[in-house]
Amino acid sequence: MDYIPSIGLEVHVQLRTRSKLFCGCGTRYGAEPNSQVCPVCLGYPGTLPVVNREAVRLTVVTGLMVGSEISPYSKFDRKSYFYPDMPKNFQISQYDRPLCLGGAVAIDVEGASRPIPLKRIHLEEDTAKNTHFEGFSGVDFNRAGVPLMEIVSEPEMHSPEEAFAFLQALKEILLYAGVSDCNLEQGNVRCDVNCSVRPAGSKALGVKTEIKNRNTFREVLHALRHEIARQVGVLEAGGAVGQETLRWDVAAGVTVGMRSKEYAHDYRYFPEPDLLPVALPRAWVEDWRAALPEPPRARRARLAREYGLPEYDAGVLTADPRSADFFEAAARLSPNPKAVSNWIMTEMQRLLAERSLAPSDARITPRALADLVALVDGGTLGSTGAREVFAVLFAEGGDPARIVAERGMAQVSDAGEMGALADRVIAENEAAAADYRKGKQAALQRLVGQVMRLSGGRANPRVVAGLLRERLK
Amino acid sequence: MTSEEGRGADAAAIDVAYVARLARIDLTPEEQARFQRQLDEVVAYVRKIREPDTSGIEPTAHAVAVRNVFRDDAPRPGLDRGEVMANAPAVVQGLFRVPQIVE
């Protein structure tokens, strides 16, 4: 029998603010444990939270990017639970009046585009970070109170690949809107996954399980593949899937039940009396809407159209708005946008990945890249030399023409100098020369290689091949 | 979130045994009975608030008619670490040491 999975995601995104959601403590990652805390985020009695306006703005901007309705009236609620990472014994979140309702994220799977509808987007505070030791745990409150935006999708993804595509599309939108750094290694994006399966043809959704707290998209993909197969196996064997919360064991590649489920959750939501409701003035929302950036999908289509790029190039370049910005700045200065795109997609991405750098860390300027393309197109630089110059520009910056001049890297096309080398190579390689004269084309390449070697790699191989052919007629 | 998660706020009475379990507080049977009696009295007293006719009055989440109180996103120094950790029962590598947390 065929089974249809239904997958819903709850994505927690750390917003890009300088201070926490309800107090002025900093949000810098990697600070000494418990060094960015105060009585508010430590949950001391008698303290009062005050909402960070920027966190509200970033949440609303996200909602506007995905077409949510912005609530005219929103409030905060207490979500009660008892855990060492939450010293107040409640988390300030939003229950029935989130900042944003509805909206959708469009995904592309197997060539077709489909909007995945969203339920809501709300704002809440992060909890402290737990570290586990043998027999005890340690708690660092630096993360407690950091603003988290929770984006909840409808359960309308039907394969692990669609869930993966959703997360990638969402990340692009968040990066474009500048609302989060989306640094997965630093846990900026964490994901709870709901999943059920039902027999094809059946209308009612199956019993769902929840997989908690995944922080890479690959983990979501792998956990879902495993969990869907597990649920189908249970149903095929005549069993029933139990509603439970699971943990993905990365090392073992299996989902396991979480023991905390022994206590059924009863969050006892109620309005946070220490915070006042939010009723955003229309003018603010309209100002924010007017300042929205071009969405990634629109930009992808525009890059393909305006610069004549293949869809593939446009997709790679727009995955990170900083790459797309760099491309556009360079392409506007160059008559050959495709060559500019090639450099960014290959050498630049490779060097950035090798050194774990962000596009803004590279020293090369758009002007320098455009000039480099011109040097190649004009025949001054060959491909090997160009890569060398690019590496220098990437690490140190500078002007490509000057680098070429300083290092004597310009290709030599001068017939006199190259002709002398060609004569010498023919004299020293009689066998190869004879082979070529007998019609062996491959022999010519050997001779070209020799001339290149003697020129220290500076010879223009096309010119050399022509000179050799002339001499071997 | 499901509807039963929010039921506590609307429950007519307080189930002390249940709440104690959620809060991980061990109560003796005598304490449980005493708190149950006391809390029932408190709830009965507060229940007076149901007497006025509130039909036609819009529910509110707050007693103060003020909205949109925000602060600027400006970081400022928090507490000194020594002061922070002074209240910790035990410290390990700069962290609050707590009983093992199980997932």
Side-chain angles (χ1 to χ4, degrees), chain A residues 4 26 67 71 85 107 114 129 141 170 236 241 262 286 289 297 330 347 353 367 370 388 446 470:
Chain A
I4 300 169
S71 307
D85 62 13
I107 60 166
R114 197 157 70 78
K129 181 169 175 280
F141 287 93
L170 181 63
E236 294 269 82
V241 174
E262 287 164 19
E286 290 316 311
R289 191 196 302 278
R297 290 171 67 85
E347 286 301 292
R367 173 85 257 170
E388 220 176 301
R446 285 216 299 282
E470 232 168 67

Side-chain angles (χ1 to χ4, degrees), chain A residues 18-20 23-24 33-34 37 44 51-53 75 82-83 95 137-139 259 266 268 273 276-277 279, chain B residues 1 5 18 22 61-62 66 68-73 75-76 78-79 81 87 94-98 101-103:
Chain A
R18 296 165 65 220
S19 65
K20 291 186 179 180
C23 62
N34 295 305
V37 295
Y44 274 58
V51 180
N52 183 338
R53 184 189 298 106
K75 68 179 175 67
F82 297 84
Y83 216 61
Y95 182 51
S137 299
V139 188
R259 279 179 288 176
D266 182 346
R268 310 193 145 219
L276 293 155
Chain B
M1 268 180 297
E5 283 169 354
Y18 176 67
L22 286 177
H62 211 281
V66 177
N68 299 333
V69 175
F70 300 117
R71 37 170 272 276
D72 291 334
D73 182 28
R76 54 159 196 250
L79 291 174
R81 282 182 79 201
N87 275 340
L95 307 167
F96 287 85
R97 183 182 157 148
V98 298
I101 298 169
V102 291
E103 282 190 286

Side-chain angles (χ1 to χ4, degrees), chain A residues 100-111:
Chain A
C100 313
L101 288 164
V105 172
I107 60 166
D108 296 304
V109 172
E110 288 165 9

Side-chain angles (χ1 to χ4, degrees), chain A residues 10 85 93 106 130 153 164 190 236 255 277 287 302 330 376:
Chain A
E10 289 174 15
D85 62 13
S93 180
N130 304 317
S153 86
F164 187 77
R190 305 194 295 271
E236 294 269 82
T255 46
D287 281 354
R302 185 174 60 77
V376 175

Side-chain angles (χ1 to χ4, degrees), chain A residues 159-195:
Chain A
S159 70
E161 291 71 26
E162 286 192 358
F164 187 77
F166 175 88
L167 289 169
Q168 281 187 315
L170 181 63
K171 181 182 165 189
E172 275 183 20
I173 292 168
L174 299 172
L175 284 174
Y176 270 67
V179 300
S180 172
D181 293 327
C182 291
N183 187 325
L184 303 188
E185 288 74 35
Q186 295 180 6
N188 286 176
V189 182
R190 305 194 295 271
C191 193
D192 295 344
V193 185
N194 292 300
C195 165

Side-chain angles (χ1 to χ4, degrees), chain B residues 9-28:
Chain B
D10 291 319
I14 293 174
D15 179 345
V16 169
Y18 176 67
V19 174
R21 189 163 66 86
L22 286 177
R24 304 188 191 167
I25 299 171
D26 283 326
L27 296 180
T28 64

